[in-house]
Amino acid sequence: MKLEIKNVSKKYNRNKYGLKDFSITIEKGILGLLGPNGAGKSTLLKMIATISKPTDGTIILNRNNILKDANYIRKQLGFLPQDFGVYPNLNAFEFLEYIAALKGIGGPNLKTKIQQLLEGLNLLDAANKPIGSYSGGMKQRVGIAQTLLNDPKIVIFDEPTVGLDPEERVRFRNLISDLAQDCIVILSSHIVSDIDTIADQVAVMKNGGLLSQGNQEQLIKLVDQKVFETIINKEELKNFKDNHIVVSTARKVQGLSIRYISENPITGSTSKKANLEDAYLYLTKIN
Amino acid sequence: MKTFLSTIKFDYLQRTRSYSFLITLCISLAIAYTFVPEPNATYSTIRIADHVGYYNSAWFGYVTAIMTSIFLSLIGFYLINNSINKDEITKIGHITASTPITNFRYLLSKVLSNFLVLLTIVCIIFLMSILLFFLYNDGYSLEILDFLIPYFLIPIPAMFVISVLAIIFEVIFRKYSIIQNIGFFFLFSVLAFSSSNQETQYELDPFGTKIVMHHMEETVRDIIQVEEQTNLSIGYVLGNIEETQKFEFNGLSFPVSFIASRLMWMLLGLILIVIITPLFHRFNMKEKLRNTISTPKFLQKENNQEIILSELKKSNTDYRIFSLVKTELMLLYRKGKRWLWIINIIGFVLLAFIPMDIAYPLILPILWFLQVHRLSEISSKEVYNNVHHFAFTSHKPLRRLLTSQIIAGTILMILLALPLIVRFFILFDLLSNLNIVVGAIFIVLLGSTIGIVTKGKKLFEILFFMITYANINKIPFTDYFGGLHHNSNYLIYLIMITVILGTIGFLTRGYQLRN
């Protein structure tokens, strides 16, 4: 299972690119896509999902050019878009049956499978109510259920944890880890904590380009020995931000506790163990 | 005041910066082009007995102003009657409701942006009328006041009244768009055709056209010197052009009472907005969805708290479109309020029992028109409901999904026409049955193709309304279901148009999917 994205660009007008000369190779496991808003994550995912076509470049899945044969990937794709809707007059069961029909899935097992999915996502009690009456989190779970209908080999989740409560997030992470045993899972988010515990590989994007790709240790190594913590006065914050990359601030009795990234720490700072969020902020700020 | 004007401005910009509004403007231009027939045309729009006016400034100015007032009042309502609903759909309404803006101000801003939208169309028609004058005039010079005065006094106040009525209907009938549509049509018919022709009551005419038409009749009566009523026709009348005679129409000086009445109509509109303000929901609407929908009985909880992938049943491939057609039919059935099906049942029963010469050309197009809200989004509901990411990444969406939508729509239309089909079958009238089936496919494809091209539903709703209005008035070239034509040549012509329509729809959707 290999998905190769080669020199892909999406040009909107003369000067505006959604993606620019983007290349990445994705294999079985979980790829976490990190990047600020407008980095091009959703553009990339829509291209892989065959919703959008690149202006240049190719996307190849197992030696098949999916830009020429979109149905090759569609048959094995589970896609949860960032912002999706539902038919409000259908109930969850009917909606999933409809999506299954769209995907070309049927047969005697379908109803049982839908039941298993609804039950596993804690939607069975509400399965006979119209989806229009569902909360945001419930709709999101229906969205997750539909990705699994066709036993996908490539699963794309674009900001999947929006609307999920903490318990559901944990269950969702377990599900993704389970899925990644046999599939390519691409998980896009700008919330680092959604990715850092489960992603095998992390790609950081900004302005339509790939800043860095590697496993978590490789990325964290970029900021190794560069993360510090100190306490400053509130008035000094602006000046401090001009000279260092501030990761987080917290109010304390003594002043503001600052976690920051710098190659020249100020006196009195204590060195801290770097994490993925530090690496992500470092990469997106220096580029 | 500045912020109030800003809300109107941005609401107006939001509504006019759309592809569908551009198409609407193009159609308005095309229709305006027909308001004054070219000298050799085989139809007339305003005609008094056998007379039409010389093509001078007054004739162009007054005729186009009258036609605009009547036709844009009717069609314009359907164009603008979803401004509050759109705020509900886009959730802008919830933000608005949490701001300090008063209900009256909000409704007034909607009236004014409605008015600006209609005014834009009036301006386009106005410019077209001047262009037509230069194309066709009988050697007269341009008198700009003959254009400006009738436009200011006839269609512009009428458009304000329509803008107010659209808001009143939206506030009172909320999301019941079908009641809004039928209710306004009824009101329009009453206002347009039942108001008195008495000279003293022109002030009661909201469209402001009767005073001019009466003056035209008087002028012709003076020429042909008859006392009795002359036959004034307004609308698209075909034929009878050879006997046309011309008369000099130089406009009229409007009485002060009439001018004041036009202002009074606008003022009345504002008062009505004040009156209905307490009824405005301010987006605190409870979504009335069905409480439960039946689901298979085997759904019984087994207390599985997580999805265990290895235990999930394996999927089987099934590329047949039966399931899609079934769900599309279900979506069509559940669209709109359930009790509105009573009207469909009444139409269904009427088709079974009333004489064929009424059932076929009259009841059938009305019954089919009542499905307008279903057909208008038959192929654009994925986009409308934001389900397109699922739909367009599905297996062969063009061949499977679009086809199933068209099949489901056609099944619905044929089911509704079933009593008539059975009656024709008993009479061995195969041609009429073929006409009905082709008509059903045609109107479904029209809704589908327009939805695909415009990515909206408004244009089809207006067009379907106009077609049905023309069907009821037995205008031959809008007969899409063979109600007026009973010959195989016409059927072949219908089939050809249907095929072209379907091809455009499939090609456009294919292009959209590829890009």
Side-chain angles (χ1 to χ4, degrees):
Chain A
M1 205 73 188
K2 194 174 182 183
L3 180 67
E4 295 164 272
I5 294 153
K6 292 181 178 172
N7 308 105
V8 164
S9 293
K10 181 76 179 178
K11 196 175 183 180
Y12 294 117
N13 58 42
R14 195 183 295 174
N15 301 315
K16 187 161 171 56
Y17 283 86
L19 274 184
K20 200 170 181 181
D21 201 22
F22 187 95
S23 298
I24 193 169
T25 299
I26 308 166
E27 296 191 37
K28 203 168 73 179
I30 301 172
L31 172 75
L33 266 187
L34 280 173
N37 292 327
K41 304 187 296 292
S42 292
T43 308
L44 174 67
L45 298 186
K46 279 181 188 171
M47 284 179 188
I48 300 170
T50 71
I51 290 171
S52 171
K53 274 199 168 179
T55 328
D56 286 306
T58 52
I59 302 176
I60 292 165
L61 176 66
N62 302 335
R63 297 183 186 169
N64 291 280
N65 186 347
I66 63 163
L67 301 180
K68 286 183 181 159
D69 182 10
N71 280 318
Y72 178 76
I73 191 168
R74 283 175 184 168
K75 284 179 193 169
Q76 40 194 330
L77 178 72
F79 178 42
L80 179 68
Q82 183 177 4
D83 179 28
F84 67 92
V86 289
Y87 288 133
N89 287 319
L90 296 183
N91 66 35
F93 194 93
E94 290 164 344
F95 184 72
L96 291 176
E97 256 192 323
Y98 178 64
I99 299 288
L102 281 173
K103 292 181 177 212
I105 299 299
N109 291 338
L110 179 65
K111 290 190 173 173
T112 317
K113 183 167 194 171
I114 292 174
Q115 180 179 3
Q116 288 175 318
L117 289 170
L118 290 173
E119 193 158 16
L121 288 160
N122 202 17
L123 285 168
L124 204 56
D125 289 338
N128 64 346
K129 289 184 177 151
I131 310 179
S133 65
Y134 281 18
S135 68
M138 289 166 84
K139 279 183 195 161
Q140 193 71 4
R141 279 180 275 154
V142 173
I144 293 167
Q146 66 78 30
T147 60
L148 303 174
L149 281 168
N150 56 331
D151 306 325
K153 292 291 168 208
I154 295 186
V155 189
I156 298 173
F157 292 113
D158 194 359
E159 307 285 355
T161 53
V162 175
L164 298 185
D165 64 33
E167 194 186 335
E168 285 159 359
R169 277 176 188 231
V170 171
R171 290 207 291 177
F172 177 68
R173 278 189 211 135
N174 294 340
L175 174 67
I176 291 182
S177 300
D178 204 2
L179 263 176
Q181 304 293 320
D182 294 314
C183 309
I184 290 176
V185 179
I186 305 173
L187 176 64
S188 155
S189 181
H190 54 254
I191 303 166
V192 181
S193 61
D194 278 349
I195 283 174
D196 65 358
T197 49
I198 51 170
D200 303 307
Q201 288 275 308
V202 178
V204 182
M205 293 177 68
K206 192 181 177 185
N207 297 332
L210 181 65
L211 296 181
S212 185
Q213 184 201 354
N215 60 37
Q216 297 196 36
E217 288 73 29
Q218 287 168 326
L219 290 181
I220 290 168
K221 214 170 184 182
L222 294 170
V223 283
D224 200 24
Q225 307 298 321
K226 289 178 186 161
V227 183
F228 301 93
E229 206 168 270
T230 189
I231 291 187
I232 60 167
N233 292 324
K234 197 177 158 189
E235 293 74 35
E236 293 172 307
L237 183 62
K238 193 182 174 303
N239 188 36
F240 193 89
K241 276 184 171 174
D242 291 340
N243 297 310
H244 309 281
I245 298 168
V246 174
V247 178
S248 64
T249 59
R251 281 170 186 275
K252 294 233 167 128
V253 183
Q254 307 95 308
L256 282 177
S257 172
I258 308 279
R259 182 184 175 94
Y260 69 102
I261 303 164
S262 178
E263 291 186 13
N264 304 302
I266 61 166
T267 354
S269 298
T270 49
S271 182
K272 290 284 168 186
K273 193 180 172 199
N275 59 31
L276 187 62
E277 188 166 19
D278 300 322
Y280 165 66
L281 281 171
Y282 177 71
L283 281 166
T284 51
K285 296 281 180 191
I286 62 163
N287 288 288
Chain B
M1 189 65 186
K2 203 176 168 188
T3 52
F4 177 62
L5 291 177
S6 293
T7 55
I8 298 164
K9 179 184 155 191
F10 293 117
D11 193 43
Y12 168 75
L13 288 177
Q14 186 271 128
R15 293 164 71 179
T16 51
R17 280 179 186 168
S18 68
Y19 187 48
S20 59
F21 187 72
L22 189 69
I23 294 175
T24 307
L25 283 186
C26 292
I27 291 173
S28 305
L29 268 177
I31 293 173
Y33 180 75
T34 66
F35 278 177
V36 180
E38 59 121 346
N40 299 320
T42 54
Y43 71 95
S44 61
T45 48
I46 290 186
R47 186 182 177 93
I48 308 101
D50 294 331
H51 288 69
V52 295
Y54 281 111
Y55 278 12
N56 58 12
S57 292
W59 184 256
F60 276 92
Y62 282 78
V63 165
T64 56
I66 289 172
M67 294 291 283
T68 306
S69 187
I70 291 178
F71 283 94
L72 195 56
S73 292
L74 181 58
I75 295 161
F77 175 85
Y78 298 103
L79 195 67
I80 58 174
N81 75 333
N82 66 345
S83 59
I84 297 175
N85 188 32
K86 210 152 205 173
D87 278 1
E88 167 73 13
I89 291 165
T90 57
K91 310 285 180 199
I92 293 290
H94 294 144
I95 298 169
T96 309
S98 64
T99 66
I101 192 168
T102 63
N103 286 353
F104 173 72
R105 273 196 160 202
Y106 174 77
L107 294 180
L108 186 60
S109 73
K110 287 289 165 193
V111 168
L112 293 175
S113 66
N114 277 349
F115 179 57
L116 284 177
V117 168
L118 294 180
L119 200 58
T120 308
I121 299 172
V122 171
C123 288
I124 289 284
I125 298 173
F126 175 80
L127 293 174
M128 177 55 99
S129 68
I130 292 175
L131 182 72
L132 287 176
F133 171 80
F134 284 116
L135 284 175
Y136 305 149
N137 86 79
D138 288 336
Y140 292 90
S141 60
L142 176 73
E143 301 291 338
I144 195 70
L145 284 180
D146 282 341
F147 286 87
L148 287 173
I149 292 171
Y151 270 85
F152 267 107
L153 292 178
I154 300 169
I156 291 179
M159 291 310 112
F160 189 82
V161 173
I162 295 302
S163 305
V164 169
L165 285 176
I167 295 301
I168 291 173
F169 273 79
E170 267 203 274
V171 169
I172 294 175
F173 298 112
R174 299 184 176 197
K175 284 188 170 180
Y176 294 83
S177 58
I178 194 115
I179 298 180
Q180 291 177 34
N181 295 341
I182 295 170
F184 175 76
F185 183 67
F186 181 73
L187 181 68
F188 173 86
S189 305
V190 170
L191 291 173
F193 304 113
S194 306
S195 58
S196 171
N197 277 330
Q198 298 287 313
E199 198 168 352
T200 50
Q201 293 184 4
Y202 291 141
E203 290 78 9
L204 300 178
D205 171 20
F207 307 112
T209 57
K210 290 217 158 39
I211 188 168
V212 183
M213 294 197 285
H214 178 78
H215 183 78
M216 286 176 176
E217 281 185 285
E218 289 276 289
T219 312
V220 171
R221 265 206 293 272
D222 285 347
I223 295 166
I224 59 177
Q225 296 189 330
V226 291
E227 287 297 314
E228 67 270 19
Q229 285 277 79
T230 45
N231 180 25
L232 184 143
S233 62
I234 182 163
Y236 293 88
V237 181
L238 298 172
N240 203 20
I241 299 301
E242 290 77 18
E243 299 157 16
T244 301
Q245 296 176 52
K246 293 231 169 178
F247 74 101
E248 187 88 23
F249 175 74
N250 291 314
L252 68 157
S253 61
F254 290 100
V256 176
S257 61
F258 176 78
I259 297 169
S261 76
R262 304 307 285 152
L263 293 171
M264 288 303 290
W265 272 107
M266 295 172 80
L267 186 65
L268 178 68
L270 292 178
I271 293 168
L272 285 174
I273 292 297
V274 174
I275 293 170
I276 59 137
T277 295
L279 302 176
F280 176 49
H281 48 70
R282 203 176 170 93
F283 302 100
N284 182 19
M285 295 163 84
K286 227 178 179 180
E287 196 68 44
K288 281 183 184 167
L289 289 160
R290 297 165 72 174
N291 288 334
T292 54
I293 298 166
S294 61
T295 35
K297 280 181 185 166
F298 68 86
L299 284 183
Q300 282 174 3
K301 219 171 171 184
E302 290 172 9
N303 287 322
N304 287 338
Q305 291 301 311
E306 293 207 14
I307 294 174
I308 300 152
L309 288 172
S310 56
E311 289 180 9
L312 277 184
K313 292 277 182 190
K314 288 287 162 204
S315 303
N316 300 107
T317 308
D318 182 0
Y319 294 137
R320 290 173 302 170
I321 61 169
F322 173 74
S323 304
L324 286 175
V325 174
K326 192 184 88 177
T327 312
E328 289 294 337
L329 271 171
M330 200 190 296
L331 286 166
L332 287 172
Y333 167 68
R334 289 193 190 150
K335 174 80 189 160
K337 303 293 166 193
R338 265 189 297 175
W339 62 265
L340 284 171
W341 273 99
I342 295 168
I343 301 174
N344 285 341
I345 292 165
I346 293 169
F348 191 82
V349 173
L350 286 176
L351 283 183
F353 294 107
I354 63 167
M356 292 288 236
D357 56 341
I358 299 173
Y360 189 18
L362 196 67
I363 304 297
L364 182 66
I366 293 173
L367 182 60
W368 276 359
F369 175 70
L370 291 175
Q371 318 313 315
V372 61
H373 59 304
R374 295 188 170 92
L375 298 188
S376 62
E377 56 170 53
I378 192 159
S379 298
S380 58
K381 63 180 177 303
E382 304 89 28
V383 178
Y384 196 70
N385 289 294
N386 206 8
V387 182
H388 58 292
H389 287 133
F390 301 139
F392 295 168
T393 55
S394 64
H395 182 70
K396 297 188 176 168
L398 185 67
R399 203 183 301 169
R400 297 173 70 246
L401 180 60
L402 186 55
T403 308
S404 65
Q405 288 168 340
I406 291 162
I407 290 172
T410 307
I411 289 172
L412 173 73
M413 300 306 260
I414 290 175
L415 279 177
L416 288 168
L418 203 58
L420 204 57
I421 291 172
V422 171
R423 288 172 79 180
F424 280 127
F425 185 75
I426 293 166
L427 296 170
F428 299 107
D429 188 348
L430 181 66
L431 185 64
S432 294
N433 271 344
L434 279 174
N435 269 322
I436 292 172
V437 172
V438 173
I441 299 170
F442 168 85
I443 205 67
V444 171
L445 281 175
L446 187 70
S448 166
T449 301
I450 291 178
I452 289 169
V453 172
T454 65
K455 294 176 184 166
K457 49 188 185 174
K458 212 70 198 170
L459 186 63
F460 173 73
E461 287 177 355
I462 293 168
L463 201 61
F464 196 10
F465 173 77
M466 286 165 71
I467 291 171
T468 308
Y469 184 70
N471 294 149
I472 294 166
N473 288 288
K474 300 193 173 171
I475 294 173
F477 66 87
T478 58
D479 175 24
Y480 68 92
F481 55 94
L484 300 174
H485 300 82
H486 299 280
N487 60 70
S488 51
N489 285 343
Y490 191 75
L491 179 65
I492 292 166
Y493 163 75
L494 263 182
I495 291 172
M496 280 166 58
I497 292 181
T498 306
V499 169
I500 292 169
L501 207 54
T503 309
I504 294 170
F506 271 84
L507 288 177
T508 313
R509 177 49 58 87
Y511 176 81
Q512 288 169 349
L513 288 170
R514 282 195 304 277
N515 296 279

